[in-house]
């Protein structure tokens, strides 16, 4: 499996992806908003885009579908429940469905509601797994829920699916928000040891050569995976004085998501 992360350079800071089979050169384009860059990158690599996949229905993820499909004849894949929101889906995806790319690549669809209620993440079946997580999980952050999602569902997707993946899992999010999100981590957990060094490292990075994190790293620097941290809980209590002595994970997650909305 070859992964090409494509930095769009737009105001929303989207990342698009090409996932290719090294044997056949067939490729799947994930959320190819910047259709010119995606088509150009495929051409340069000698790949043929045969499938387009939307992680969810938001326009900054679906906006390149038409142009890519017109140029390539690719099939369109998205969550089975997105069929009324994304036109012309060829294949609706449910939890556990397998997407094949060429001869060598197999990717599993995870049903991960929360950012929207029809959001899929993709998990590659490779020695080192790779997770394409759209707007569910960001580097050092979590997706918002005000475009058709729900924080209860987002917590559930994190706790029951994403947090259980191997620490070595490579994280490929839908946007470059890492620097801003690390500032949120430091606001919520001022004594986080890893976040300041990582922030110094990524502050000056070219998003076209972005750091690819792992789930293990996210567990160190992403507040939404640090729900038992005493300093996260102590800081949270300053904003929510009624917080119980030992708040459950879900309460901490949802309060953090609430604070992040206005941060
Ligand atoms: Zn979105
Ligand atoms: Zn987005």
């Amino acid at each position: 499996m070859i992964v090409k992360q494509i930095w769009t350079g737009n105001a929303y800071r989207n990342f698009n992806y090409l996932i290719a089979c090294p044997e056949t050169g067939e490729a799947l384009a994930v959320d190819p908003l910047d259709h010119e860059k995606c088509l150009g990158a495929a051409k340069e690599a000698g790949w043929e885009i045969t499938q387009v996949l939307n992680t969810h229905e938001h326009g900054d993820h679906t906006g390149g579908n038409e142009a890519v499909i017109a140029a390539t004849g690719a099939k369109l894949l998205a969550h089975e429940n997105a069929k009324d929101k994304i036109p012309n889906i060829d294949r609706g995806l449910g939890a556990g469905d397998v997407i094949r790319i060429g001869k060598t690549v197999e990717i599993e669809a995870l049903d991960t509601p929360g950012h929207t209620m029809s959001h899929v993440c993709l998990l590659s079946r490779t020695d080192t797994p790779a997770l394409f997580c759209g707007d569910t999980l960001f580097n050092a952050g979590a997706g918002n829920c005000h475009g058709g999602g729900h924080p209860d569902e987002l917590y559930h997707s994190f706790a029951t699916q994403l947090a259980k993946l191997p620490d070595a899992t490579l994280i490929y999010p839908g946007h470059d928000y890492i620097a801003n999100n690390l500032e949120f981590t430091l606001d919520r957990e001022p004594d986080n040891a890893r976040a300041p060094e990582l922030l110094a490292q990524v502050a000056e990075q070219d998003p076209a050569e972005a750091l690819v994190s792992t789930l293990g790293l996210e567990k160190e620097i992403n507040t939404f995976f640090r729900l038992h941290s005493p300093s996260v809980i102590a800081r949270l209590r300053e904003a929510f004085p009624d917080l119980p002595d030992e708040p459950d994970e879900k309460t901490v997650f949802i309060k953090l998501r609430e604070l992040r909305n206005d941060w």
Side-chain angles (χ1 to χ4, degrees):
M1 180 177 80
I2 307 173
V3 175
K4 181 154 183 59
Q5 183 177 52
I6 294 167
W7 165 239
T8 61
N10 68 352
Y12 298 111
R13 309 189 67 81
N14 290 81
F15 281 131
N16 302 169
Y17 295 93
L18 296 178
I19 307 172
C21 168
E23 263 186 45
T24 68
E26 286 162 88
L28 175 144
V30 181
D31 295 338
L33 174 67
D34 193 328
H35 48 93
E36 289 179 0
K37 279 189 186 166
C38 290
L39 290 167
K43 191 175 175 193
E44 194 181 326
W47 297 339
E48 183 195 354
I49 298 175
T50 53
Q51 301 176 84
V52 168
L53 185 146
N54 293 143
T55 55
H56 64 293
E57 68 270 28
H58 289 159
D60 60 311
H61 296 257
T62 61
N65 290 0
E66 227 178 273
V68 173
I69 290 166
T72 62
K75 299 285 184 210
L76 179 60
L77 291 71
H79 194 291
E80 58 195 355
N81 295 342
K83 60 182 186 299
D84 297 331
K85 300 165 194 148
I86 302 174
N88 305 317
I89 295 175
D90 294 296
R91 181 179 174 197
L93 298 169
D97 284 354
V98 174
I99 300 144
R100 291 188 173 78
I101 307 165
K103 279 189 191 158
T104 61
V105 181
E106 284 193 356
I107 291 181
E108 185 182 333
L110 309 181
D111 185 359
T112 50
H115 172 65
T116 74
M117 299 309 280
S118 43
H119 190 300
V120 288
C121 290
L122 307 176
L123 182 66
S124 69
R125 292 183 171 170
T126 40
D127 291 342
T128 301
L131 181 74
F132 300 86
C133 37
D135 289 0
T136 298
L137 165 64
F138 295 125
N139 295 129
N144 67 50
C145 303
H146 44 249
H150 199 289
D152 285 2
E153 300 292 334
L154 189 64
Y155 165 71
H156 197 252
S157 292
F158 265 65
T160 65
Q161 299 190 72
L162 305 187
K164 297 198 163 157
L165 298 175
D167 278 353
T169 306
L170 297 167
I171 304 300
Y172 291 108
H175 294 263
D176 171 41
Y177 293 155
I178 188 166
N180 197 33
N181 282 342
L182 284 168
E183 302 274 9
F184 182 72
T185 297
L186 287 168
D187 182 52
R188 290 291 98 213
E189 191 183 10
D191 60 348
N192 185 296
R194 190 80 172 83
E197 26 177 292
L198 194 61
L199 182 56
Q201 188 187 333
V202 301
E204 303 299 323
Q205 82 173 356
D206 175 0
E209 305 283 336
L211 168 109
V212 176
S213 81
T214 61
L215 188 66
L217 177 57
E218 293 300 326
K219 286 177 180 172
E220 290 185 64
I221 50 99
N222 189 325
T223 316
F224 293 90
F225 285 123
R226 299 181 61 74
L227 308 172
H228 296 287
S229 156
S231 50
V232 168
I233 292 169
R235 278 282 284 149
L236 205 55
R237 189 167 290 111
E238 293 170 22
F240 301 99
D242 294 342
L243 203 68
D245 279 347
E246 288 180 20
D248 60 86
E249 276 195 345
K250 184 177 174 182
T251 302
V252 175
F253 185 100
I254 286 173
K255 298 287 188 203
L256 287 169
R257 188 51 264 173
E258 192 181 324
L259 288 180
R260 184 65 178 80
N261 290 340
D262 301 317
W263 184 75

